[in-house]
Amino acid sequence: MSPIRVGVLGAQGRMGATVVQAVEGAAGMEIAATVDAGESLSALAGAEVVVDFTHPDAVMDNLRFLVEQGIHAVVGTTGFTGERLETVREWLRSKPEVGVLIAPNFALGAVLAMRFAQQAARFYASAEIIELHHNRKADAPSGTAAHTAELIAQARREAGVQPGTDATTSEVDGARGALIEDVRVHSVRLPGLVAHEEILFGGEGETLSIRHDSLDRVSFMAGVLLGVREVRTRPGLTVGLENVLDL
Ligand SMILES: NC(=O)C1=CN([C@@H]2O[C@H](COP(=O)(O)OP(=O)(O)OC[C@H]3O[C@@H](n4cnc5c(N)ncnc54)[C@H](OP(=O)(O)O)[C@@H]3O)[C@@H](O)[C@H]2O)C=CC1
Ligand SMILES: O=C(O)C1=N[C@H](C(=O)O)C[C@H](O)C1
């Protein structure tokens, strides 16, 4: 069988460079093209699957090009709102054979942590998230933390659980974090960190902490390579690696 021809968008970035190395070392795939900021997307025309780790401001234009060209896409770039996802679905209506996989986090442990948090949410009215990242990260909160908060909020809604009480009446701006739906998310940025998330639940006389640490960007690669292999057989939009892992 001929190797999967993979294009990488953002190939000189922290994630893109790691993806190029991973594809080069993987069986059954090869690099078809790499594109960075300021370069023409047309170089990707010969790729079967393109991996995008660029910037929230760039990713929608990239995706529109890929869908129009009939190229499957595996996207790790953050910044996907419900509205953006709906736009991608709209583009895919005229290209039903194209697969797009968008995942806020490709690390297995992060995907499991999100699923465990989703399972725990109906048992605990009070939940807060702390995400910790390197200080070169452009967006806050992280896409993973935002997605985790949405999953917790959705699980509570489905179970009819109201968010827990919080007696704060006086607050320095930002001290209680950002609200994603009804879940508070706190963002830490420090050199030395890679990507970390702690999901905290509080109940009667107990707390539950679910923590995941990516200590190296290699932690994302098994998920990205799985996505590259699977996206060709999954037409339409898939959001979250959990769907590919059948979790
Ligand atoms: N889903 C997941 O598992 C993960 C997701 N991410 C996400 O991936 C994204 C990238 O992260 P990271 O690699 O750390 O960031 P970097 O800034 O290191 O890399 C981004 C790269 O993309 C380039 N770029 C920007 N715009 C374009 C464009 N229009 N076309 C092609 N290339 C472009 C940048 O170039 P220049 O510097 O010149 O602007 C840079 O080289 C972020 O949104 C991050 O949150 C990160 C890790 C894991
Ligand atoms: O920018 C990063 O580094 C990461 N971004 C993603 C996010 O925002 O969730 C995934 C991971 O946390 C690393």
Side-chain angles (χ1 to χ4, degrees):
M1 232 171 37
S2 55
I4 308 168
R5 292 175 54 73
V6 182
V8 180
L9 266 162
Q12 286 184 19
R14 286 174 289 271
M15 282 299 291
T18 317
V19 170
V20 170
Q21 276 184 356
V23 169
E24 284 172 348
M29 52 182 85
E30 65 184 18
I31 292 290
T34 61
V35 171
D36 276 284
E39 294 174 356
S40 170
L41 293 172
S42 61
L44 299 167
E48 192 181 352
V49 179
V50 167
V51 179
D52 185 305
F53 282 98
T54 57
H55 191 279
D57 294 345
V59 67
M60 289 302 278
D61 286 345
N62 293 343
L63 254 180
R64 187 174 47 201
F65 170 86
L66 296 173
V67 172
E68 277 171 8
Q69 298 296 311
I71 301 170
H72 306 294
V74 172
V75 181
T77 307
T78 45
F80 280 90
T81 56
E83 198 180 328
R84 281 188 167 202
L85 293 174
E86 199 39 57
T87 302
V88 176
R89 280 190 195 97
E90 188 59 46
W91 293 336
L92 284 166
R93 269 181 207 119
S94 49
K95 289 280 181 180
E97 72 284 5
V98 176
V100 173
L101 167 64
I102 299 174
N105 203 309
F106 280 96
L108 173 63
V111 177
L112 288 172
M114 283 188 266
R115 175 49 53 93
F116 298 155
Q118 191 181 19
Q119 287 175 333
R122 70 189 167 99
F123 300 105
Y124 294 93
S126 296
E128 304 208 7
I129 299 171
I130 306 170
E131 57 92 343
L132 309 91
H133 281 80
H134 58 95
N135 61 335
R136 312 281 298 277
K137 184 166 176 58
D139 53 321
S142 71
T144 309
H147 192 58
T148 310
E150 285 160 3
L151 292 175
I152 290 172
Q154 184 192 349
R156 280 176 180 168
R157 260 195 316 275
E158 285 169 6
V161 174
Q162 294 300 316
T165 53
D166 172 2
T168 310
T169 50
S170 149
E171 180 189 354
V172 173
D173 239 12
R176 293 287 293 114
L179 267 179
I180 302 284
E181 301 223 11
D182 51 20
V183 180
R184 296 210 174 258
V185 182
H186 310 265
S187 297
V188 177
R189 297 289 176 266
L190 290 173
L193 294 172
V194 179
H196 317 258
E197 183 185 39
E198 190 156 355
I199 307 131
L200 304 164
F201 294 95
E204 292 293 309
E206 63 164 334
T207 64
L208 169 67
S209 306
I210 301 169
R211 179 166 175 125
H212 175 257
D213 297 277
S214 272
L215 305 172
D216 189 300
R217 288 184 179 81
V218 77
S219 61
F220 304 109
M221 293 305 116
V224 171
L225 296 180
L226 178 67
V228 167
R229 292 197 173 93
E230 289 286 318
V231 73
R232 300 167 309 152
T233 59
R234 290 173 185 263
L237 177 63
T238 304
V239 181
L241 192 66
E242 60 273 24
N243 298 298
V244 179
L245 294 168
D246 287 333
L247 279 182

